[in-house]
Amino acid sequence: MFVACHLFLGLILGLAIAGRLGDRRLIGFCALGAVLPDLIDKPVGHILLAGTLNSGRIFGHGLLFLALLLMAGIVLYRRQESFALLAVAAGALSHQVIDAMWAMPVTWYFPLLGPYEPYEYTGYFGGAILAEVSSLSEWVFLAASAGIALAACRGFGPGISRLAAALVRVSVPLLGILALASLLAWAAGGPESVLMAGAGPEDYLLLAAVAAVGVVGAIRHQDLLDAE
């Protein structure tokens, strides 16, 4: 999945956690965790290790990374009663789930099944940026993410609060349409479409799931999104 999709799911998961624990700051920590695997692996794999691995799914996309985040989160909670790192771990888990990392067992279970597998990409970052900006789903997720982030932060004044509320209101029906369109694309066998560049049947199914979760999450946690 692309960046805005990961960010959006992290924000929705953060809304659920914040609503449960009564700490709006956890929304940001969860969103950070949702993009953290790519922030670590893409530069390392496609720049530092371009001549060997050239893969953007390495350490940050494995269960070992999640285990370390979880252990650090437990230690932080016991010492300072802070859920910050546990929220980061939850976001990182959401990233791995919608990347379907179980389909890459060598990476997901590393180092249990041996070393990482090398890949070959030419001009990865240019291609990735083009794929993202040409995917309609990314623009929907980006608008929804902006609305949730602004509404969750608050304190920016009434103008920003109204903008955040408007973005959320507009994005909810768009997410519903995206979920339906993705399901139809999946049912059709996953042909190439404007919804998501290079998507296959499984990608469309995951895309529909993220959009549907977003609709439910935004509606259920409207109290955290309402402008003050």
Side-chain angles (χ1 to χ4, degrees), residues 47-141:
I47 297 177
L48 296 181
L49 301 177
T52 53
L53 285 177
N54 199 15
S55 172
R57 293 182 177 180
I58 44 179
F59 178 69
H61 287 72
L63 292 175
L64 177 59
F65 179 66
L66 284 178
L68 293 175
L69 276 177
L70 184 61
M71 288 188 290
I74 292 172
V75 170
L76 182 64
Y77 174 74
R78 287 183 174 178
R79 291 185 177 181
Q80 300 184 17
E81 295 189 354
S82 171
F83 286 97
L85 278 179
L86 291 175
V88 172
L93 175 60
S94 75
H95 185 111
Q96 294 188 12
V97 168
I98 61 172
D99 268 359
M101 290 309 300
W102 52 84
M104 300 178 65
V106 171
T107 298
W108 209 31
Y109 294 111
F110 179 84
L112 299 180
L113 301 181
Y116 294 118
E117 297 175 328
Y119 293 85
E120 292 185 9
Y121 292 99
T122 301
Y124 172 81
F125 288 103
I129 292 172
L130 179 61
E132 295 222 20
V133 299
S134 63
S135 297
L136 180 61
S137 59
E138 282 294 275
W139 293 101
V140 174
F141 287 135

Side-chain angles (χ1 to χ4, degrees), residues 4 8 137-148 164 167-168 170-171 174:
F8 174 72
S137 59
E138 282 294 275
W139 293 101
V140 174
F141 287 135
L142 186 61
S145 296
I148 293 172
L167 284 172
V168 172
V170 170
S171 64
L174 289 178

